[in-house]
Every structure is written in structure tokens, then in C-alpha cells.
Amino acid sequence: MNINIIKNPAFLAVLCALFLFGGVGIFYLLTPQKDALEIPLKCDLNVEDCNFSFRDRKITITLEPKPIQALKATHLRIENLESFGNLELKIYGLNMFMGEMHVGLKRLDDGSYGGEIFPAACFLDTMRFRAELLDGTKPLGFYFDFEVHK
């Protein structure tokens, strides 16, 4: 690399901006977002099954066993959902980014859908997750939130 480029003020300004914005981005990704927990859940899947309206249907979501525990098998059941060819659940953290988990859901004999999730562990006392329904890679516009407590 030419030493004159390194001494160029414009090059140094761009380099500093990259480090600054990159550092801010990494800090944001690794810092818990407290505002995600300020809005209470409409229904707590740790305590009860939850009903939601979607496409003129009353959808029931069940997670068992209760309470939901990190890194433990949790059985998911979705009742009264219309038929989809490739139903999938995308799960990600709302108050801290911990990656995404994709879970394929199977249509059961009674017409409901089922699957098994393993919620991620976190050092936070309360981790809030969002679970979005997809048909293949296409979002359906339906999601539900749940929490895992330490």
C-alpha cells in the first residue's frame, strides 16, 4: 500500500468513520434492547394457551411444558390454521439478537400443526422471542411473542 494514501486526510476520515459505525453496530447487536420488554405480552404462553385472530380465524398457540425453559424441548401446537404447503416457524430474540432458529412444522392428523423448539439460553433474566410463520420463505404476516425466564 502506498504510504501517501495512509497520510491522506480523506482516507483517514473514511477509515475512522468505518471503525466508528462498525463499532456502534456491533455494540447495538450485543446490547440488550430493554424497550422490547416494556410492552407487556398480550398473553403469556408460560401460563396459558393463547388465542390470536388471523385471516378470519381464531388461532390457538400452545407451548408445553409450562413454564418454557431455555435449551429444553418445547412442544408447539397451532390449532385452526388453514393448510399450507411448507409451514415453517422463524424464531429470533427481540431484546437481544442471538441469531435465528427455523423449525419445520408438520400437519397433524387432526388438522393442527406441530413441532418442537429449543429456546436459546441467555444471560438476561427475561429473554423475549418472536416466532413468525412462513410458508417456505414467504412471511404469512402472523407472529406471536413469548418469553423465557431464568
Side-chain angles (χ1 to χ4, degrees):
M1 179 179 273
N2 187 345
I3 196 79
N4 291 331
I5 292 175
I6 295 174
K7 292 181 181 180
N8 183 328
F11 175 77
L12 291 174
V14 169
L15 190 61
C16 287
L18 285 173
F19 281 119
L20 176 67
F21 289 118
V24 168
I26 290 171
F27 177 77
Y28 177 78
L29 287 174
L30 296 178
T31 302
Q33 303 301 309
K34 294 182 181 181
D35 58 341
L37 297 177
E38 290 176 4
I39 300 170
L41 294 172
K42 293 177 184 173
C43 181
D44 188 353
L45 284 161
N46 280 288
V47 177
E48 61 186 338
D49 298 345
C50 296
N51 296 310
F52 301 93
S53 294
F54 178 64
R55 296 186 180 177
D56 297 325
R57 292 174 180 247
K58 180 179 155 187
I59 308 300
T60 302
I61 306 291
T62 304
L63 291 176
E64 292 289 344
K66 295 179 186 339
I68 304 163
Q69 296 182 15
L71 301 177
K72 301 281 186 185
T74 303
H75 303 284
L76 166 73
R77 183 178 179 90
I78 303 174
E79 296 176 15
N80 202 29
L81 192 64
E82 61 190 273
S83 182
F84 291 97
N86 188 18
L87 195 63
E88 185 175 301
L89 197 64
K90 177 173 83 170
I91 303 172
Y92 54 92
L94 290 178
N95 54 330
M96 177 178 279
F97 182 74
M98 299 173 61
E100 293 179 353
M101 178 174 41
H102 290 258
V103 178
L105 301 176
K106 296 186 184 206
R107 185 107 171 149
L108 305 175
D109 292 337
D110 64 1
S112 63
Y113 284 90
E116 194 169 64
I117 64 172
F118 292 82
C122 182
F123 66 88
L124 299 174
D125 288 335
T126 300
M127 183 66 197
R128 184 171 292 182
F129 291 95
R130 174 155 294 162
E132 289 184 35
L133 284 177
L134 310 172
D135 188 9
T137 59
K138 180 184 171 194
L140 295 177
F142 177 81
Y143 67 85
F144 60 93
D145 297 342
F146 64 95
E147 293 179 345
V148 175
H149 303 282
K150 227 180 208 181

PDB file of all heavy atoms in Angstrom, residues 11-41:
ATOM      1  N   PHE A  11      -8.780   9.726   3.294  1.00  0.00           N
ATOM      2  CA  PHE A  11      -8.683   8.293   3.566  1.00  0.00           C
ATOM      3  C   PHE A  11      -8.805   8.032   5.068  1.00  0.00           C
ATOM      4  O   PHE A  11      -9.525   7.134   5.503  1.00  0.00           O
ATOM      5  CB  PHE A  11      -7.356   7.738   3.037  1.00  0.00           C
ATOM      6  CG  PHE A  11      -7.128   6.297   3.375  1.00  0.00           C
ATOM      7  CD1 PHE A  11      -7.780   5.296   2.674  1.00  0.00           C
ATOM      8  CD2 PHE A  11      -6.279   5.935   4.416  1.00  0.00           C
ATOM      9  CE1 PHE A  11      -7.585   3.968   2.991  1.00  0.00           C
ATOM     10  CE2 PHE A  11      -6.078   4.605   4.745  1.00  0.00           C
ATOM     11  CZ  PHE A  11      -6.738   3.621   4.025  1.00  0.00           C
ATOM     12  N   LEU A  12      -8.136   8.847   5.866  1.00  0.00           N
ATOM     13  CA  LEU A  12      -8.196   8.680   7.321  1.00  0.00           C
ATOM     14  C   LEU A  12      -9.609   8.945   7.843  1.00  0.00           C
ATOM     15  O   LEU A  12     -10.076   8.255   8.747  1.00  0.00           O
ATOM     16  CB  LEU A  12      -7.185   9.600   8.006  1.00  0.00           C
ATOM     17  CG  LEU A  12      -5.713   9.231   7.791  1.00  0.00           C
ATOM     18  CD1 LEU A  12      -4.808  10.295   8.405  1.00  0.00           C
ATOM     19  CD2 LEU A  12      -5.404   7.874   8.387  1.00  0.00           C
ATOM     20  N   ALA A  13     -10.295   9.925   7.266  1.00  0.00           N
ATOM     21  CA  ALA A  13     -11.666  10.228   7.695  1.00  0.00           C
ATOM     22  C   ALA A  13     -12.599   9.052   7.386  1.00  0.00           C
ATOM     23  O   ALA A  13     -13.433   8.665   8.212  1.00  0.00           O
ATOM     24  CB  ALA A  13     -12.166  11.501   7.019  1.00  0.00           C
ATOM     25  N   VAL A  14     -12.452   8.476   6.188  1.00  0.00           N
ATOM     26  CA  VAL A  14     -13.280   7.322   5.814  1.00  0.00           C
ATOM     27  C   VAL A  14     -12.962   6.135   6.714  1.00  0.00           C
ATOM     28  O   VAL A  14     -13.866   5.436   7.183  1.00  0.00           O
ATOM     29  CB  VAL A  14     -13.071   6.967   4.320  1.00  0.00           C
ATOM     30  CG1 VAL A  14     -13.699   5.624   3.988  1.00  0.00           C
ATOM     31  CG2 VAL A  14     -13.630   8.066   3.429  1.00  0.00           C
ATOM     32  N   LEU A  15     -11.711   5.901   6.981  1.00  0.00           N
ATOM     33  CA  LEU A  15     -11.306   4.793   7.846  1.00  0.00           C
ATOM     34  C   LEU A  15     -11.862   4.968   9.262  1.00  0.00           C
ATOM     35  O   LEU A  15     -12.402   4.022   9.851  1.00  0.00           O
ATOM     36  CB  LEU A  15      -9.777   4.698   7.875  1.00  0.00           C
ATOM     37  CG  LEU A  15      -9.176   3.463   8.537  1.00  0.00           C
ATOM     38  CD1 LEU A  15      -9.617   2.205   7.807  1.00  0.00           C
ATOM     39  CD2 LEU A  15      -7.667   3.547   8.555  1.00  0.00           C
ATOM     40  N   CYS A  16     -11.788   6.182   9.800  1.00  0.00           N
ATOM     41  CA  CYS A  16     -12.340   6.451  11.139  1.00  0.00           C
ATOM     42  C   CYS A  16     -13.851   6.253  11.161  1.00  0.00           C
ATOM     43  O   CYS A  16     -14.402   5.694  12.113  1.00  0.00           O
ATOM     44  CB  CYS A  16     -11.990   7.871  11.583  1.00  0.00           C
ATOM     45  SG  CYS A  16     -10.249   8.071  12.026  1.00  0.00           S
ATOM     46  N   ALA A  17     -14.530   6.711  10.102  1.00  0.00           N
ATOM     47  CA  ALA A  17     -15.988   6.545  10.028  1.00  0.00           C
ATOM     48  C   ALA A  17     -16.356   5.066   9.990  1.00  0.00           C
ATOM     49  O   ALA A  17     -17.317   4.641  10.649  1.00  0.00           O
ATOM     50  CB  ALA A  17     -16.540   7.264   8.801  1.00  0.00           C
ATOM     51  N   LEU A  18     -15.613   4.263   9.244  1.00  0.00           N
ATOM     52  CA  LEU A  18     -15.890   2.819   9.184  1.00  0.00           C
ATOM     53  C   LEU A  18     -15.736   2.175  10.556  1.00  0.00           C
ATOM     54  O   LEU A  18     -16.566   1.374  10.978  1.00  0.00           O
ATOM     55  CB  LEU A  18     -14.971   2.138   8.170  1.00  0.00           C
ATOM     56  CG  LEU A  18     -15.306   2.374   6.713  1.00  0.00           C
ATOM     57  CD1 LEU A  18     -14.219   1.780   5.820  1.00  0.00           C
ATOM     58  CD2 LEU A  18     -16.654   1.780   6.358  1.00  0.00           C
ATOM     59  N   PHE A  19     -14.663   2.517  11.268  1.00  0.00           N
ATOM     60  CA  PHE A  19     -14.461   1.966  12.607  1.00  0.00           C
ATOM     61  C   PHE A  19     -15.551   2.418  13.567  1.00  0.00           C
ATOM     62  O   PHE A  19     -16.067   1.642  14.357  1.00  0.00           O
ATOM     63  CB  PHE A  19     -13.084   2.339  13.158  1.00  0.00           C
ATOM     64  CG  PHE A  19     -11.963   1.511  12.623  1.00  0.00           C
ATOM     65  CD1 PHE A  19     -10.930   2.085  11.911  1.00  0.00           C
ATOM     66  CD2 PHE A  19     -11.948   0.144  12.818  1.00  0.00           C
ATOM     67  CE1 PHE A  19      -9.898   1.310  11.410  1.00  0.00           C
ATOM     68  CE2 PHE A  19     -10.924  -0.649  12.321  1.00  0.00           C
ATOM     69  CZ  PHE A  19      -9.897  -0.059  11.609  1.00  0.00           C
ATOM     70  N   LEU A  20     -15.925   3.693  13.488  1.00  0.00           N
ATOM     71  CA  LEU A  20     -16.948   4.239  14.376  1.00  0.00           C
ATOM     72  C   LEU A  20     -18.294   3.558  14.140  1.00  0.00           C
ATOM     73  O   LEU A  20     -18.922   3.048  15.072  1.00  0.00           O
ATOM     74  CB  LEU A  20     -17.077   5.750  14.177  1.00  0.00           C
ATOM     75  CG  LEU A  20     -18.181   6.427  14.992  1.00  0.00           C
ATOM     76  CD1 LEU A  20     -17.837   6.367  16.473  1.00  0.00           C
ATOM     77  CD2 LEU A  20     -18.378   7.852  14.545  1.00  0.00           C
ATOM     78  N   PHE A  21     -18.748   3.529  12.887  1.00  0.00           N
ATOM     79  CA  PHE A  21     -20.051   2.939  12.596  1.00  0.00           C
ATOM     80  C   PHE A  21     -20.049   1.423  12.799  1.00  0.00           C
ATOM     81  O   PHE A  21     -21.025   0.854  13.254  1.00  0.00           O
ATOM     82  CB  PHE A  21     -20.518   3.291  11.177  1.00  0.00           C
ATOM     83  CG  PHE A  21     -20.900   4.736  11.042  1.00  0.00           C
ATOM     84  CD1 PHE A  21     -20.216   5.565  10.174  1.00  0.00           C
ATOM     85  CD2 PHE A  21     -21.920   5.276  11.807  1.00  0.00           C
ATOM     86  CE1 PHE A  21     -20.568   6.902  10.055  1.00  0.00           C
ATOM     87  CE2 PHE A  21     -22.273   6.604  11.703  1.00  0.00           C
ATOM     88  CZ  PHE A  21     -21.588   7.426  10.825  1.00  0.00           C
ATOM     89  N   GLY A  22     -18.945   0.786  12.484  1.00  0.00           N
ATOM     90  CA  GLY A  22     -18.846  -0.652  12.733  1.00  0.00           C
ATOM     91  C   GLY A  22     -18.908  -0.968  14.214  1.00  0.00           C
ATOM     92  O   GLY A  22     -19.594  -1.884  14.646  1.00  0.00           O
ATOM     93  N   GLY A  23     -18.220  -0.164  15.022  1.00  0.00           N
ATOM     94  CA  GLY A  23     -18.248  -0.358  16.475  1.00  0.00           C
ATOM     95  C   GLY A  23     -19.624  -0.116  17.057  1.00  0.00           C
ATOM     96  O   GLY A  23     -20.094  -0.866  17.912  1.00  0.00           O
ATOM     97  N   VAL A  24     -20.300   0.923  16.572  1.00  0.00           N
ATOM     98  CA  VAL A  24     -21.664   1.208  17.037  1.00  0.00           C
ATOM     99  C   VAL A  24     -22.598   0.063  16.656  1.00  0.00           C
ATOM    100  O   VAL A  24     -23.426  -0.370  17.462  1.00  0.00           O
ATOM    101  CB  VAL A  24     -22.172   2.559  16.461  1.00  0.00           C
ATOM    102  CG1 VAL A  24     -23.657   2.730  16.688  1.00  0.00           C
ATOM    103  CG2 VAL A  24     -21.396   3.710  17.075  1.00  0.00           C
ATOM    104  N   GLY A  25     -22.455  -0.463  15.451  1.00  0.00           N
ATOM    105  CA  GLY A  25     -23.303  -1.576  15.012  1.00  0.00           C
ATOM    106  C   GLY A  25     -23.095  -2.815  15.856  1.00  0.00           C
ATOM    107  O   GLY A  25     -24.047  -3.467  16.281  1.00  0.00           O
ATOM    108  N   ILE A  26     -21.860  -3.156  16.138  1.00  0.00           N
ATOM    109  CA  ILE A  26     -21.560  -4.326  16.970  1.00  0.00           C
ATOM    110  C   ILE A  26     -22.084  -4.106  18.391  1.00  0.00           C
ATOM    111  O   ILE A  26     -22.675  -4.996  18.990  1.00  0.00           O
ATOM    112  CB  ILE A  26     -20.048  -4.624  16.962  1.00  0.00           C
ATOM    113  CG1 ILE A  26     -19.643  -5.144  15.588  1.00  0.00           C
ATOM    114  CG2 ILE A  26     -19.670  -5.604  18.067  1.00  0.00           C
ATOM    115  CD1 ILE A  26     -18.155  -5.277  15.381  1.00  0.00           C
ATOM    116  N   PHE A  27     -21.899  -2.896  18.932  1.00  0.00           N
ATOM    117  CA  PHE A  27     -22.400  -2.581  20.267  1.00  0.00           C
ATOM    118  C   PHE A  27     -23.918  -2.750  20.311  1.00  0.00           C
ATOM    119  O   PHE A  27     -24.462  -3.327  21.249  1.00  0.00           O
ATOM    120  CB  PHE A  27     -22.008  -1.153  20.648  1.00  0.00           C
ATOM    121  CG  PHE A  27     -22.547  -0.713  21.976  1.00  0.00           C
ATOM    122  CD1 PHE A  27     -21.954  -1.149  23.151  1.00  0.00           C
ATOM    123  CD2 PHE A  27     -23.650   0.112  22.051  1.00  0.00           C
ATOM    124  CE1 PHE A  27     -22.451  -0.763  24.386  1.00  0.00           C
ATOM    125  CE2 PHE A  27     -24.157   0.512  23.280  1.00  0.00           C
ATOM    126  CZ  PHE A  27     -23.553   0.070  24.438  1.00  0.00           C
ATOM    127  N   TYR A  28     -24.616  -2.262  19.287  1.00  0.00           N
ATOM    128  CA  TYR A  28     -26.079  -2.371  19.248  1.00  0.00           C
ATOM    129  C   TYR A  28     -26.518  -3.837  19.210  1.00  0.00           C
ATOM    130  O   TYR A  28     -27.450  -4.227  19.908  1.00  0.00           O
ATOM    131  CB  TYR A  28     -26.641  -1.633  18.031  1.00  0.00           C
ATOM    132  CG  TYR A  28     -28.124  -1.776  17.896  1.00  0.00           C
ATOM    133  CD1 TYR A  28     -28.990  -1.032  18.691  1.00  0.00           C
ATOM    134  CD2 TYR A  28     -28.680  -2.687  17.003  1.00  0.00           C
ATOM    135  CE1 TYR A  28     -30.356  -1.175  18.593  1.00  0.00           C
ATOM    136  CE2 TYR A  28     -30.047  -2.838  16.901  1.00  0.00           C
ATOM    137  CZ  TYR A  28     -30.879  -2.074  17.695  1.00  0.00           C
ATOM    138  OH  TYR A  28     -32.235  -2.228  17.599  1.00  0.00           O
ATOM    139  N   LEU A  29     -25.852  -4.647  18.395  1.00  0.00           N
ATOM    140  CA  LEU A  29     -26.232  -6.061  18.288  1.00  0.00           C
ATOM    141  C   LEU A  29     -26.014  -6.813  19.593  1.00  0.00           C
ATOM    142  O   LEU A  29     -26.752  -7.747  19.912  1.00  0.00           O
ATOM    143  CB  LEU A  29     -25.457  -6.745  17.166  1.00  0.00           C
ATOM    144  CG  LEU A  29     -25.875  -6.374  15.753  1.00  0.00           C
ATOM    145  CD1 LEU A  29     -24.934  -7.019  14.740  1.00  0.00           C
ATOM    146  CD2 LEU A  29     -27.309  -6.776  15.470  1.00  0.00           C
ATOM    147  N   LEU A  30     -25.004  -6.431  20.353  1.00  0.00           N
ATOM    148  CA  LEU A  30     -24.669  -7.167  21.569  1.00  0.00           C
ATOM    149  C   LEU A  30     -25.297  -6.579  22.829  1.00  0.00           C
ATOM    150  O   LEU A  30     -25.200  -7.177  23.895  1.00  0.00           O
ATOM    151  CB  LEU A  30     -23.146  -7.228  21.736  1.00  0.00           C
ATOM    152  CG  LEU A  30     -22.400  -7.993  20.646  1.00  0.00           C
ATOM    153  CD1 LEU A  30     -20.900  -7.932  20.891  1.00  0.00           C
ATOM    154  CD2 LEU A  30     -22.880  -9.419  20.548  1.00  0.00           C
ATOM    155  N   THR A  31     -25.941  -5.421  22.719  1.00  0.00           N
ATOM    156  CA  THR A  31     -26.551  -4.786  23.883  1.00  0.00           C
ATOM    157  C   THR A  31     -28.018  -5.167  23.977  1.00  0.00           C
ATOM    158  O   THR A  31     -28.756  -5.037  23.006  1.00  0.00           O
ATOM    159  CB  THR A  31     -26.425  -3.249  23.778  1.00  0.00           C
ATOM    160  OG1 THR A  31     -25.051  -2.918  23.667  1.00  0.00           O
ATOM    161  CG2 THR A  31     -27.020  -2.573  25.000  1.00  0.00           C
ATOM    162  N   PRO A  32     -28.474  -5.644  25.124  1.00  0.00           N
ATOM    163  CA  PRO A  32     -29.893  -5.977  25.278  1.00  0.00           C
ATOM    164  C   PRO A  32     -30.766  -4.755  25.017  1.00  0.00           C
ATOM    165  O   PRO A  32     -30.467  -3.662  25.467  1.00  0.00           O
ATOM    166  CB  PRO A  32     -29.995  -6.417  26.739  1.00  0.00           C
ATOM    167  CG  PRO A  32     -28.610  -6.791  27.137  1.00  0.00           C
ATOM    168  CD  PRO A  32     -27.695  -5.926  26.317  1.00  0.00           C
ATOM    169  N   GLN A  33     -31.843  -4.950  24.277  1.00  0.00           N
ATOM    170  CA  GLN A  33     -32.768  -3.870  23.955  1.00  0.00           C
ATOM    171  C   GLN A  33     -33.911  -3.905  24.965  1.00  0.00           C
ATOM    172  O   GLN A  33     -34.826  -4.688  24.840  1.00  0.00           O
ATOM    173  CB  GLN A  33     -33.279  -4.023  22.514  1.00  0.00           C
ATOM    174  CG  GLN A  33     -32.174  -4.065  21.485  1.00  0.00           C
ATOM    175  CD  GLN A  33     -31.312  -2.832  21.507  1.00  0.00           C
ATOM    176  OE1 GLN A  33     -31.826  -1.717  21.467  1.00  0.00           O
ATOM    177  NE2 GLN A  33     -30.015  -3.010  21.594  1.00  0.00           N
ATOM    178  N   LYS A  34     -33.844  -3.044  25.971  1.00  0.00           N
ATOM    179  CA  LYS A  34     -34.804  -3.063  27.065  1.00  0.00           C
ATOM    180  C   LYS A  34     -36.204  -2.671  26.637  1.00  0.00           C
ATOM    181  O   LYS A  34     -37.183  -3.115  27.207  1.00  0.00           O
ATOM    182  CB  LYS A  34     -34.321  -2.153  28.190  1.00  0.00           C
ATOM    183  CG  LYS A  34     -33.054  -2.663  28.845  1.00  0.00           C
ATOM    184  CD  LYS A  34     -32.616  -1.793  29.972  1.00  0.00           C
ATOM    185  CE  LYS A  34     -31.328  -2.370  30.530  1.00  0.00           C
ATOM    186  NZ  LYS A  34     -30.806  -1.642  31.624  1.00  0.00           N
ATOM    187  N   ASP A  35     -36.322  -1.820  25.612  1.00  0.00           N
ATOM    188  CA  ASP A  35     -37.649  -1.370  25.216  1.00  0.00           C
ATOM    189  C   ASP A  35     -38.527  -2.508  24.717  1.00  0.00           C
ATOM    190  O   ASP A  35     -39.740  -2.409  24.733  1.00  0.00           O
ATOM    191  CB  ASP A  35     -37.575  -0.248  24.180  1.00  0.00           C
ATOM    192  CG  ASP A  35     -36.811  -0.645  22.927  1.00  0.00           C
ATOM    193  OD1 ASP A  35     -36.041  -1.612  22.977  1.00  0.00           O
ATOM    194  OD2 ASP A  35     -36.990   0.043  21.904  1.00  0.00           O
ATOM    195  N   ALA A  36     -37.941  -3.602  24.294  1.00  0.00           N
ATOM    196  CA  ALA A  36     -38.726  -4.757  23.840  1.00  0.00           C
ATOM    197  C   ALA A  36     -39.550  -5.335  24.979  1.00  0.00           C
ATOM    198  O   ALA A  36     -40.611  -5.905  24.754  1.00  0.00           O
ATOM    199  CB  ALA A  36     -37.805  -5.839  23.261  1.00  0.00           C
ATOM    200  N   LEU A  37     -39.093  -5.203  26.216  1.00  0.00           N
ATOM    201  CA  LEU A  37     -39.799  -5.761  27.358  1.00  0.00           C
ATOM    202  C   LEU A  37     -40.750  -4.766  28.023  1.00  0.00           C
ATOM    203  O   LEU A  37     -41.495  -5.141  28.924  1.00  0.00           O
ATOM    204  CB  LEU A  37     -38.795  -6.275  28.399  1.00  0.00           C
ATOM    205  CG  LEU A  37     -37.905  -7.417  27.943  1.00  0.00           C
ATOM    206  CD1 LEU A  37     -36.917  -7.775  29.035  1.00  0.00           C
ATOM    207  CD2 LEU A  37     -38.718  -8.621  27.543  1.00  0.00           C
ATOM    208  N   GLU A  38     -40.709  -3.509  27.594  1.00  0.00           N
ATOM    209  CA  GLU A  38     -41.566  -2.504  28.215  1.00  0.00           C
ATOM    210  C   GLU A  38     -43.037  -2.711  27.879  1.00  0.00           C
ATOM    211  O   GLU A  38     -43.910  -2.335  28.642  1.00  0.00           O
ATOM    212  CB  GLU A  38     -41.113  -1.102  27.798  1.00  0.00           C
ATOM    213  CG  GLU A  38     -39.782  -0.720  28.424  1.00  0.00           C
ATOM    214  CD  GLU A  38     -39.273   0.631  27.954  1.00  0.00           C
ATOM    215  OE1 GLU A  38     -39.977   1.316  27.190  1.00  0.00           O
ATOM    216  OE2 GLU A  38     -38.159   0.978  28.345  1.00  0.00           O
ATOM    217  N   ILE A  39     -43.309  -3.305  26.729  1.00  0.00           N
ATOM    218  CA  ILE A  39     -44.695  -3.589  26.336  1.00  0.00           C
ATOM    219  C   ILE A  39     -45.028  -4.994  26.833  1.00  0.00           C
ATOM    220  O   ILE A  39     -44.388  -5.968  26.431  1.00  0.00           O
ATOM    221  CB  ILE A  39     -44.856  -3.514  24.807  1.00  0.00           C
ATOM    222  CG1 ILE A  39     -44.482  -2.118  24.310  1.00  0.00           C
ATOM    223  CG2 ILE A  39     -46.275  -3.887  24.400  1.00  0.00           C
ATOM    224  CD1 ILE A  39     -44.370  -2.006  22.816  1.00  0.00           C
ATOM    225  N   PRO A  40     -46.007  -5.121  27.721  1.00  0.00           N
ATOM    226  CA  PRO A  40     -46.335  -6.459  28.236  1.00  0.00           C
ATOM    227  C   PRO A  40     -46.921  -7.353  27.145  1.00  0.00           C
ATOM    228  O   PRO A  40     -47.539  -6.877  26.187  1.00  0.00           O
ATOM    229  CB  PRO A  40     -47.368  -6.181  29.330  1.00  0.00           C
ATOM    230  CG  PRO A  40     -47.817  -4.785  29.141  1.00  0.00           C
ATOM    231  CD  PRO A  40     -46.824  -4.069  28.292  1.00  0.00           C
ATOM    232  N   LEU A  41     -46.705  -8.645  27.287  1.00  0.00           N
ATOM    233  CA  LEU A  41     -47.284  -9.608  26.359  1.00  0.00           C
ATOM    234  C   LEU A  41     -48.806  -9.591  26.472  1.00  0.00           C
ATOM    235  O   LEU A  41     -49.343  -9.467  27.579  1.00  0.00           O
ATOM    236  CB  LEU A  41     -46.776 -11.022  26.674  1.00  0.00           C
ATOM    237  CG  LEU A  41     -45.290 -11.283  26.447  1.00  0.00           C
ATOM    238  CD1 LEU A  41     -44.914 -12.649  26.996  1.00  0.00           C
ATOM    239  CD2 LEU A  41     -44.942 -11.174  24.977  1.00  0.00           C
TER     240      LEU A  41
END
